[in-house]
Amino acid sequence: MPTLVMKFGGTSVANLDRIRRAAKRVGVEVAKGYDVIVIVSAMSGKTNELVGWVNETSPLYDAREYDAIVSSGENVTAGLMALTLQEMDVPARSWQGWQVPVKTTSAHASARIEEIPSENILAKFAEGMKVAVVAGFQGVSPEGRITTLGRGGSDTTAVAFAAAFEGERCDIYTDVDGVYTTDPRISDKARKLDKIAFEEMLELASLGAKVLQTRSVELAMRYKVKLRVLSSFEEQSDDAGTLVVDEEEIMENRPVSGVAYSRDEAKMTLISIADRPGIAAAIFGPLSEAGVNVDMIIQNIAEDGRTDMTFSCPVDQVGRAQKAMEDAKASGEINYRDLIADTEVAKVSAVGIGMRSQSGVAATMFKTLSDEGINIKVIATSEIKVSVLIDRKYMELAVQALHDAFELDKLT
Ligand code: ADP
Ligand code: ASP
Ligand code: MG
């Protein structure tokens, strides 16, 4: 039997009615002759609630217990989905990560999947089970502890199962009907794309478009998983939604395919550091050891042997970054006059594989922001993206203005 992987996100399993609706979709695929692996998220809002409880109980929590707690939301929906299918006379059972087992690294809260042995589930399919409902987002470490894969990680569970079981396709059911030119919640001019290239989806996801977790796109690219994003709220045909495809399958010659944003950024500036070999290592080594995910970096021109260094990181890591820098200063590894944290910034990015062959995207972006009176604080570019850091209060305006400037409302 061919295998199909279907993943339902939080809003698609938000209550018993939605679970019933999702189960019906699963029933349609079972009727077509598929063995189905269903990956479920926790009910929407549940994971946030669990994270909140952890933080309230223990601000500097033990990450192993964080994982034990925040993984539990998925256990509930997996069981409920299996029961709902059984009520529809579809032979189904639930599996928690450790039961499969989904073997991961021991990097708690951001573990990577290392292996998914298929024997246990295949044996059940051979006995007549039609649907394996698997709790997404979770796995088990070599030490036998429960791990989680980082927020949004059920997408990655789904793609990893599609790779391990050589699934015909991995369908990601969510609350929008595909990948759009920008977040449809920010711009009502956002257009749904029928196809998007892996490389573009990877950039959009890593630059903040949370419709797919970045790692899920990486895995799909590496294992050639046919990945589709579609809505769980509408009746779906076989060509609905957005397919993530190889670059060669995109015919249009568009410079920009999408605009992404990341709201919760911070900009940190170390004032007056020594301009000497090894200074970057002395700053970014301790930051990395403290678990700070540094994104953009700029070093100013030196005057009298001293300079300023600016970097960006997620806003919730500012405290950790400050502590790492203060400790490095106290131990004499670095010396700076002041550390300024700007916690009111956001990152807006334009992404497109067409940038490789068409110039002028950065210029259009800067002109558009300037016309709106938006000041650019930091710029970063790569082959297929241009990102800027701006004041958070202008984020939505910037996204909309760039969407207009690149005429993304004309894409399909
Ligand atoms: P789920 O709970 O199903 O995993 P998520 O909330 O993680 O859903 O992801 C879906 C959301 O991603 C959408 O509701 C939308 O607001 C947001 N999003 C951001 N950028 C995009 C984009 N370019 N295309 C589609 N959705 C996007
Ligand atoms: N429930 C987890 C989260 O909210 C995982 C997921 O839904 O993908 O991050
Ligand atoms: Mg998600």
Side-chain angles (χ1 to χ4, degrees):
M1 292 281 180
T3 306
L4 187 69
V5 174
M6 304 171 75
K7 179 254 169 177
F8 293 92
T11 38
S12 311
V13 291
N15 54 46
L16 298 186
D17 258 355
R18 298 249 174 104
I19 292 178
R20 249 176 252 128
R21 187 194 291 224
K24 276 195 198 137
R25 274 293 318 155
V26 176
V28 169
E29 301 296 354
V30 170
K32 286 185 198 162
Y34 286 109
D35 283 342
V36 180
I37 299 177
V38 172
I39 309 294
V40 286
S41 287
M43 290 179 176
S44 67
K46 192 70 211 174
T47 311
N48 285 346
E49 182 182 47
L50 295 168
V51 170
W53 289 346
V54 171
N55 283 320
E56 212 178 310
T57 309
S58 170
L60 292 175
Y61 51 76
D62 173 347
R64 292 165 298 192
E65 300 306 341
Y66 168 98
D67 278 351
I69 295 159
V70 303
S71 62
S72 65
E74 273 71 9
N75 297 343
V76 175
T77 41
L80 287 172
M81 177 63 85
L83 280 183
T84 309
L85 287 161
Q86 289 173 4
E87 286 293 319
M88 292 164 42
D89 291 327
V90 177
R93 70 156 270 194
S94 68
W95 303 75
Q96 295 183 8
W98 64 272
Q99 293 174 305
V100 176
V102 176
K103 297 185 183 174
T104 74
T105 60
S106 29
H108 284 278
S110 59
R112 279 177 182 269
I113 296 176
E114 302 220 293
E115 195 196 343
I116 303 179
S118 54
E119 305 87 73
N120 290 342
I121 287 180
L122 287 181
K124 291 288 168 195
F125 279 137
E127 287 171 18
M129 178 187 70
K130 284 282 145 207
V131 183
V133 186
V134 179
F137 180 51
Q138 52 172 269
V140 59
S141 73
E143 294 77 30
R145 301 293 304 256
I146 305 298
T147 53
T148 62
L149 310 177
R151 297 304 304 270
S154 296
D155 298 329
T156 301
T157 308
V159 174
F161 270 82
F165 287 79
E166 294 174 12
E168 190 167 298
R169 213 174 50 238
C170 180
D171 285 341
I172 305 285
Y173 285 87
T174 183
D175 56 1
V176 285
D177 62 351
V179 178
Y180 278 69
T181 47
T182 194
D183 187 345
R185 286 177 211 277
I186 295 270
S187 168
D188 53 15
K189 292 192 195 160
R191 293 291 291 266
K192 197 202 88 180
L193 297 165
D194 291 335
K195 287 178 183 176
I196 186 159
F198 277 116
E199 289 83 352
E200 290 174 326
M201 193 60 242
L202 197 57
E203 284 285 5
L204 285 174
S206 70
L207 294 167
K210 68 172 184 159
V211 60
L212 286 173
Q213 198 198 33
T214 310
R215 228 173 257 171
S216 72
V217 188
E218 267 168 20
L219 276 186
M221 210 166 151
R222 176 151 12 119
Y223 293 102
K224 304 211 175 305
V225 171
K226 197 165 173 194
L227 181 61
R228 183 165 74 140
V229 177
L230 69 174
S231 164
S232 62
F233 299 135
E234 292 156 27
E235 287 306 314
Q236 296 293 353
S237 61
D238 279 347
D239 59 358
T242 301
L243 261 186
V244 190
V245 296
D246 285 328
E247 208 174 296
E248 299 77 54
E249 290 181 48
I250 306 269
M251 289 313 196
E252 302 95 305
N253 191 16
R254 56 202 190 205
V256 173
S257 295
V259 174
Y261 65 87
S262 165
R263 194 186 298 273
D264 300 314
E265 301 285 318
K267 174 172 133 289
M268 316 269 295
T269 305
L270 289 157
I271 307 285
S272 188
I273 52 168
D275 183 31
R276 59 166 170 83
I279 187 70
I283 292 170
F284 296 108
L287 285 171
S288 145
E289 274 159 36
V292 177
N293 299 314
V294 172
D295 179 20
M296 302 155 126
I297 299 175
I298 33 172
Q299 182 178 338
N300 287 0
I301 291 180
E303 249 180 74
D304 305 327
R306 301 203 73 80
T307 183
D308 299 339
M309 184 83 85
T310 296
F311 61 89
S312 69
C313 67
V315 76
D316 60 0
Q317 295 178 1
V318 163
R320 253 186 278 173
Q322 276 167 329
K323 172 137 188 354
M325 293 297 88
E326 281 157 16
D327 290 351
K329 188 177 181 182
S331 70
E333 283 170 67
I334 58 172
N335 194 4
Y336 57 85
R337 196 174 65 229
D338 214 353
L339 175 57
I340 300 171
D342 180 352
T343 55
E344 295 293 321
V345 293
K347 182 168 65 177
V348 176
S349 311
V351 172
I353 46 177
M355 279 185 215
R356 290 199 191 114
S357 52
Q358 294 178 47
S359 58
V361 169
T364 304
M365 187 156 175
F366 304 153
K367 167 95 173 48
T368 306
L369 296 173
S370 137
D371 289 348
E372 297 292 341
I374 301 172
N375 189 31
I376 300 172
K377 295 172 174 241
V378 184
I379 300 169
T381 62
S382 78
E383 210 187 4
I384 64 163
K385 71 125 198 264
V386 184
S387 295
V388 294
L389 217 54
I390 59 172
D391 275 334
R392 190 173 302 139
K393 62 176 184 255
Y394 297 126
M395 190 194 80
E396 301 198 356
L397 174 63
V399 169
Q400 287 156 359
L402 292 171
H403 198 272
D404 284 346
F406 292 116
E407 301 188 331
L408 297 185
D409 54 335
K410 304 207 169 74
L411 289 187
T412 52

